[in-house]
Amino acid sequence: MVAVAVSGTKARAPGQAATGPGSLLERKLLHLGLRDPVDFVVHLPLRYEDETHITPIMSVYPGAPAQVEAEVIRSEVQFRPRRQLVAVVEDDTGSLLLRWLNFYPNQQKQVAVGKRVRVRGEVRAGFGGHEMVHPKITVAGTALPQALTPVYPTTDGLSQASLRKAIDQALVRADLSDTLPPEIRDRYKLMPFDQAIRVLHHPSPDISYSDLIERGHPAWTRIKFDELLAQQISLAAARAARRRQRARALEGDHGRLPDALRASLPFTLTAAQERVIAEISSDLSCSFPMHRLLQGDVGSGKTIVAAFAAAQAISSQSQVAIMAPTEILAEQHFQKLVAWLEPLGITVAWLTGSLSSKARKAAIEAIESGQAQLVVGTQALIQDKVNFSNLGLVILDEQHRFGVGQRLDLSRKGEESEGSLAMIPHQLSMSATPIPRTLAMTFFADLDVSVIDELPPGRSPVLTKLVSDARRDEVLSHVVAEVRRGSQAYWVCPLVEESEALQLQTAVDTHARLALALSGMRVGLVHGRLPAAEKQQVMQDFRAGAIDLLVATTVIEVGVDVPNASLMIIEHAERFGLAQLHQLRGRVGRGSQQSVCVLMYQSPLSAVARQRLRAMYETADGFEIARRDLEQRGPGEFLGVRQSGQELLRFASIDTDAMIAEQAQEAARELRDRFPGHARCHLERWMRGKQDFLRS
């Protein structure tokens, strides 16, 4: 028996036994997020079982579920090849073998010889004919259900029967009134909410099974629309709330520092960079906090755009913090920003966890006093001991790699009170993983998005080659030839230590073997487990040309800029994600010489791996790569921990429901403007505590 809550209080159905607060069943339900009736109502089935009819044994076929009624004619425990319970049932049309590899004494009683049973399960082709493994056994002759049987997402120890009972109770008690005005429903031809919910929990047998499973039925369309609408209303509310916050207007000293920076650069900015710099400059001049996402393909020049934003903030007497997810990436930013900004009189500080106590103390003091105008670092920036004097702009690189809490912690370093209002620092997030349009529309609608959609001149396109690891000797010869021409190369491996499960070549072993095979060549090694000082030294040596071939793990995935490196070999490329492969490929092609990326794979390839490698071979366009990656893996990589463990979209699909998302975006604007009461009720039903994850 299950207790469900109404209006925030615990209430039990009539005649229901008390389970007590904190009962095991209640804890299991809470683990699934099921507390109030509305939670149960929108806990929708994963799939359905058709238990509405009995199939003659002669009509069952392998690969499909079936339900039969038959008499047990044989039942025994066998011990070869392993201990298992085996039974044979028979009806007027044929016989069927049943098998349990794990079983209890009561299951043996259920299939005692002579009993007539109802059996349900997936039919397989066995050595002796058709069989079912671990079928469901019930009493024969009982009334058949009049609707398909829902199968819900559950957790260990919570049976489908208990969950169905709790959901059925909630359907009686919950408020199923519609949160959409009739004119919105009519415009988008949407089914009423209560009707859609009842269809999905108890579909009649005449409803198309494929429409239910593939979520093409009008009831699913209504649910997906509602979910996307709630998300869009929440994102719009988050955007409006930001506009009500206050921030220092960073108008700059009439552009003095940005102009000086532009005049000092040894290269010309692209039109896309100039456009994005102007967009950010306009935002920084506003008295509400900027919340802009800057996206651009690998090598598009995001760091110099960040430098212009920093220069404008610093010329307005504000400090700037740039946080990167890895020390290698942070150091890359630090070196570039020092070269660009220190000649203009700007003090750039460096703060990471690997600094000595003395250096860390000096950096923290410079930050607190305001002497450090620009601070570059890793998560060390959000330590309690770090206090800024006047933080006006926060820049997050590879923002999806940071947690919600980490982003907020850095922003809070710049919060201050002005009268009754809190002043919030401006925030610029950067990502080298381009976000597909549908994803940007659904998950990032609360942000302003700037795109650098062209590469700096002089960049040569990278040739991508697919090579079986059986041709390793040819690859080694190519490495030798490139080094003799004066170029440098990367050799990327997926693991640091041996894994028996994956049997992958490791960076440590590969380094040893390559150093032996390529005698006379300077072979370096860098991976995430090296001490920070050693890692820093290796990267410095590689940049200086003291290392010819750098063996590395994905620690060099972002932020490494060595124009003389023109060759990259990625070992076991089939094991990497598509976005990761594209990021790694972006480490070469940064100079004027022709660069090559060799994706070395091990046969046989899975279908997914084949798709990934084909995409890498066919295109170097980051947006096209992102679109294909989204198709293959879903939105997790793009969102990072914005989801924070919670599925913000349980029913709609980013890939296939773009049209519904566009309709929901239109409807969200109308609900907020014309029907605010409906909008509030809609959020209460669908978001329930998830808004904060969207607002991060």
Side-chain angles (χ1 to χ4, degrees):
M1 290 296 187
V2 181
V4 292
V6 178
S7 303
T9 60
K10 297 293 177 190
R12 305 185 193 284
Q16 181 181 357
T19 56
S23 70
L24 178 61
L25 182 55
E26 193 173 66
R27 290 199 301 273
K28 295 289 185 185
L29 293 169
L30 286 174
H31 182 71
L32 292 174
L34 306 180
R35 180 189 300 273
D36 298 333
V38 67
D39 302 324
F40 289 84
V41 163
V42 296
H43 190 74
L44 296 173
L46 284 171
R47 56 187 175 86
Y48 300 87
E49 292 179 347
D50 187 355
E51 299 180 349
T52 62
H53 65 277
I54 303 296
T55 303
I57 290 178
M58 70 175 294
S59 300
V60 304
Y61 55 92
Q67 181 170 251
V68 303
E69 282 195 358
E71 183 180 337
V72 181
I73 61 170
R74 181 161 64 89
S75 180
E76 62 181 341
V77 177
Q78 296 180 352
F79 293 91
R80 290 185 181 181
R82 56 173 290 182
R83 185 173 182 269
Q84 57 187 323
L85 173 61
V86 175
V88 176
V89 296
E90 186 177 78
D91 67 5
D92 294 338
T93 67
S95 61
L96 181 69
L97 182 73
L98 312 179
R99 189 191 307 275
W100 289 266
L101 304 178
N102 300 295
F103 58 93
Y104 299 98
N106 68 319
Q107 286 171 302
Q108 287 180 261
K109 294 177 184 176
Q110 281 184 307
V111 289
V113 173
K115 277 197 170 183
R116 187 165 180 80
V117 292
R118 182 177 293 170
V119 182
R120 176 169 180 79
E122 184 174 324
V123 180
R124 299 184 184 183
F127 290 113
H130 293 158
E131 66 175 32
M132 289 182 183
V133 179
H134 289 279
K136 176 183 174 184
I137 303 288
T138 53
V139 178
T142 54
L144 292 168
Q146 297 303 302
L148 298 175
T149 303
V151 178
Y152 294 100
T154 188
T155 188
D156 286 345
L158 180 58
S159 69
Q160 287 291 324
S162 297
L163 196 45
R164 286 186 198 116
K165 188 167 188 176
I167 289 169
D168 285 346
Q169 289 174 351
L171 284 169
V172 173
R173 301 162 68 79
D175 177 7
L176 300 182
S177 57
D178 217 304
T179 55
L180 297 185
E183 62 188 86
I184 298 282
R185 282 207 319 269
D186 294 343
R187 181 184 310 153
Y188 299 112
K189 298 179 173 59
L190 297 170
M191 182 182 284
F193 177 76
D194 63 338
Q195 185 181 337
I197 281 293
R198 295 187 191 283
V199 164
L200 293 177
H201 283 296
H202 296 291
S204 60
D206 60 340
I207 290 179
S208 165
Y209 184 78
S210 63
D211 277 356
L212 287 173
I213 295 301
E214 295 169 14
R215 298 187 174 178
H217 190 275
W220 273 122
T221 302
R222 171 61 199 263
I223 296 304
K224 290 190 281 190
F225 182 92
D226 275 17
E227 183 179 48
L228 288 164
L229 176 63
Q231 186 196 58
Q232 291 301 312
I233 293 172
S234 186
L235 287 168
R239 188 184 184 95
R242 285 199 186 100
R243 292 294 176 106
R244 291 193 295 271
Q245 292 176 325
R246 309 309 299 161
R248 285 193 298 277
L250 307 179
E251 298 177 89
D253 184 11
H254 306 291
R256 182 182 61 82
L257 270 177
D259 288 347
L261 174 58
R262 184 177 279 100
S264 70
L265 293 177
F267 53 85
T268 303
L269 296 171
T270 65
Q273 287 172 321
E274 291 283 17
R275 184 189 72 246
V276 169
I277 288 168
E279 289 170 352
I280 294 169
S281 176
S282 176
D283 281 2
L284 291 175
S285 301
C286 294
S287 58
F288 55 84
M290 172 179 75
H291 206 78
R292 185 169 285 275
L293 175 65
L294 169 60
Q295 57 174 330
D297 210 345
V298 287
S300 60
K302 294 182 293 298
T303 308
I304 188 61
V305 171
F308 273 89
Q312 180 169 336
I314 291 166
S315 64
S316 299
Q317 310 305 312
S318 287
Q319 286 176 298
V320 179
I322 298 182
M323 187 164 75
T326 67
E327 194 158 322
I328 285 180
L329 179 53
E331 186 192 0
Q332 187 79 34
H333 286 318
F334 177 70
Q335 291 179 345
K336 286 185 175 181
L337 291 164
V338 164
W340 291 329
L341 299 178
E342 279 200 345
L344 306 181
I346 294 173
T347 303
V348 185
W350 168 246
L351 184 63
T352 67
S354 65
L355 286 179
S356 66
S357 297
K358 183 178 179 182
R360 189 184 304 118
K361 183 180 178 185
I364 290 174
E365 288 175 354
I367 294 167
E368 189 164 3
S369 68
Q371 178 190 348
Q373 296 161 289
L374 172 60
V375 187
V376 183
T378 57
Q379 289 91 329
L381 292 176
I382 59 177
Q383 293 174 346
D384 290 340
K385 294 179 182 177
V386 180
N387 297 301
F388 287 80
S389 169
N390 188 24
L391 181 61
L393 172 62
V394 167
I395 300 175
L396 298 167
D397 197 13
E398 293 300 308
Q399 57 87 28
H400 62 281
R401 297 189 178 206
F402 293 108
V404 171
Q406 290 173 319
R407 297 178 218 170
L408 292 175
D409 283 347
L410 184 56
S411 181
R412 288 189 186 111
K413 297 280 185 183
E415 285 188 10
E416 58 185 69
S417 295
E418 188 175 275
S420 60
L421 293 173
M423 301 290 283
I424 310 294
H426 297 275
Q427 182 173 313
L428 175 65
S429 299
M430 301 195 296
S431 176
T433 304
I435 298 166
R437 176 180 171 275
T438 308
L439 189 64
M441 180 175 64
T442 50
F443 277 98
F444 294 94
D446 59 326
L447 305 185
D448 295 302
V449 180
S450 291
V451 181
I452 305 178
D453 51 10
E454 64 178 310
L455 293 177
R459 289 283 171 89
S460 58
V462 179
L463 289 178
T464 302
K465 297 185 177 182
L466 307 181
V467 178
S468 165
D469 65 355
R471 297 168 58 193
R472 184 177 296 268
D473 289 345
E474 292 178 41
V475 175
L476 288 173
S477 299
H478 192 52
V479 172
V480 171
E482 283 297 303
V483 171
R484 282 179 178 163
R485 285 197 315 111
S487 295
Q488 293 166 277
Y490 298 95
W491 193 296
V492 181
C493 304
L495 292 178
V496 176
E497 294 175 351
E498 189 63 40
S499 164
E500 290 182 6
L502 297 178
Q503 291 296 304
L504 300 180
Q505 197 74 23
T506 69
V508 174
D509 286 350
T510 301
H511 172 259
R513 290 172 188 169
L514 289 174
L516 189 63
L518 304 172
S519 57
M521 189 178 293
R522 299 167 296 180
V523 183
L525 172 66
V526 65
H527 56 72
R529 297 185 187 177
L530 277 180
E534 191 175 338
K535 196 189 309 177
Q536 190 174 343
Q537 186 61 50
V538 171
M539 293 309 303
Q540 193 172 318
D541 290 345
F542 188 56
R543 277 190 288 266
I547 291 174
D548 301 313
L549 175 63
L550 181 63
V551 180
T553 57
T554 55
V555 72
I556 57 103
E557 180 185 343
V558 290
V560 178
D561 187 1
V562 182
N564 193 48
S566 62
L567 175 62
M568 171 166 286
I569 294 95
I570 303 178
E571 185 105 42
H572 284 286
E574 75 277 4
R575 299 286 185 177
F576 291 86
L578 189 49
Q580 198 171 39
L581 286 172
H582 183 61
Q583 288 278 11
L584 288 167
R585 179 170 59 183
R587 299 308 104 207
V588 293
R590 292 176 167 256
S592 56
Q593 57 189 319
Q594 178 65 66
S595 295
V596 177
C597 178
V598 177
L599 304 179
M600 197 155 58
Y601 63 87
Q602 187 177 60
S603 296
L605 289 174
S606 68
V608 172
R610 196 175 295 112
Q611 278 183 324
R612 272 192 221 126
L613 297 184
R614 184 185 298 122
M616 287 292 292
Y617 180 75
E618 290 176 349
T619 182
D621 183 320
F623 281 92
E624 176 61 17
I625 290 284
R627 187 190 67 76
R628 296 196 193 187
D629 196 34
L630 181 63
E631 283 180 0
Q632 291 179 22
R633 296 199 299 151
E637 177 67 18
F638 299 94
L639 300 175
V641 284
R642 184 173 241 227
Q643 290 172 305
S644 195
Q646 293 203 26
E647 285 279 0
L648 292 178
L649 285 183
R650 290 183 291 163
F651 310 118
S653 165
I654 294 291
D655 188 35
T656 60
D657 295 324
M659 188 180 77
I660 300 176
E662 289 181 10
Q663 292 174 341
Q665 204 170 44
E666 291 173 3
R669 285 192 289 269
E670 186 167 357
L671 248 67
R672 280 176 54 80
D673 293 342
R674 295 182 55 206
F675 305 100
H678 288 75
R680 280 193 301 273
C681 292
H682 197 82
L683 280 181
E684 175 61 23
R685 173 175 285 162
W686 284 101
M687 296 307 289
R688 295 178 60 76
K690 295 180 184 176
Q691 293 98 318
D692 289 341
F693 295 109
L694 287 169
R695 293 172 184 173
S696 62

